[in-house]
Amino acid sequence: MESPAAPTVPRPATSRPELPITTTAPVKRERRWSVAALCVVLAAVAGLGAAAAVTSASDRTKVLAVARDVPAGQALTAADLVVAEVSADAALTPVTAGQKTSMVGKRAAVDLRKGGLLTASQLATGTGLGDDQQQVGVQVKRGQAPAGTLAPGDKVLAVTTPAQGEQQAGEAEAPPSTISAVVVTVSRPDASGSVVVNLAVANKKGPLLATRAAQGRIALVREPRGQ
């Protein structure tokens, strides 16, 4: 006789610890997107900076500047001008560097200072002084004119100094002969301190003044300014 089967005993349920749901993969993807976005922003900024630099460089233009002080009335020389680069500005109207050759020989209508930009309004087609009068160049030595005070536009008296032996001691001193003139330009002093002063005088006075100047018999007296 067969023995009855043993009853089946259910196994106790074993509780497994719940594993946390990880988000490792999404975090990595999010970081990759952040890095990519940052690279895009940096590339855009760099591109804008480069574009601004190119635009700024293209906006610069070559113009003429004053290399040294030039008094009013004096003709410009090549050494008086230098090429400079400035940003384009509609408010500025400097003479372009390409016009340098045509600027040489033109006269300054006002005093030009070293470092300033050259503009057409600072130049005169003529001397601006004595264009309708005769002009005479007078070389005066040191002591024959006020030192460093003559300027274009000054009124002067060209005084005729006596020739050697013309006036003896004891004789009555006669009033000197004078010719009224206006200073047009004054050259830079040479090694001996002599300067050449261009004077504008009334018509028909030029030959007489030139003759006396050639003899070295002219001294200049500056008239009071403002009269």
Side-chain angles (χ1 to χ4, degrees):
M1 181 173 180
E2 295 180 358
S3 58
T8 303
V9 179
R11 294 180 179 180
T14 59
S15 59
R16 295 181 179 179
E18 296 183 357
L19 297 177
I21 301 175
T22 61
T23 57
T24 303
V27 169
K28 288 184 178 180
R29 286 196 296 269
E30 183 178 347
R31 288 178 180 175
R32 285 198 293 268
W33 279 108
S34 299
V35 172
L38 179 59
C39 291
V40 171
V41 172
L42 292 177
V45 171
L48 290 175
V54 171
T55 302
S56 176
S58 62
D59 285 345
R60 297 183 70 81
T61 182
K62 292 184 178 181
V63 299
L64 293 179
V66 182
R68 56 187 179 184
D69 292 347
V70 179
Q74 182 167 301
L76 293 175
T77 65
D80 295 326
L81 303 174
V82 66
V83 176
E85 284 192 3
V86 296
S87 298
D89 191 335
L92 300 177
T93 57
V95 179
T96 59
Q99 303 179 63
K100 182 175 181 179
T101 302
S102 61
M103 293 298 106
V104 175
K106 291 195 174 184
R107 296 185 180 276
V110 296
D111 289 339
L112 303 179
R113 298 303 180 191
K114 180 180 178 180
L117 297 181
L118 182 68
T119 63
S121 62
Q122 296 172 323
L123 304 176
T125 53
T127 63
L129 298 168
D131 287 340
D132 57 347
Q133 295 176 295
Q134 293 181 335
Q135 292 190 29
V136 179
V138 178
Q139 183 179 33
V140 291
K141 298 179 181 179
R142 184 178 298 171
Q144 292 180 325
T149 62
L150 290 181
D154 281 343
K155 295 180 179 179
V156 297
L157 289 178
V159 181
T160 303
T161 58
Q164 186 175 4
E166 187 175 83
Q167 194 169 13
Q168 301 296 328
E171 294 182 1
E173 185 174 346
S177 174
T178 62
I179 298 176
S180 297
V182 176
V183 176
V184 177
T185 61
V186 182
S187 72
R188 294 182 175 88
D190 61 16
S192 65
S194 297
V195 297
V196 175
V197 183
N198 287 337
L199 299 176
V201 297
N203 293 334
K204 299 183 179 180
K205 293 287 187 179
L208 177 59
L209 178 58
T211 300
R212 293 175 178 174
Q215 298 171 351
R217 298 178 55 199
I218 292 295
L220 301 181
V221 177
R222 195 196 75 192
E223 298 276 33
R225 289 172 175 161
Q227 294 186 357

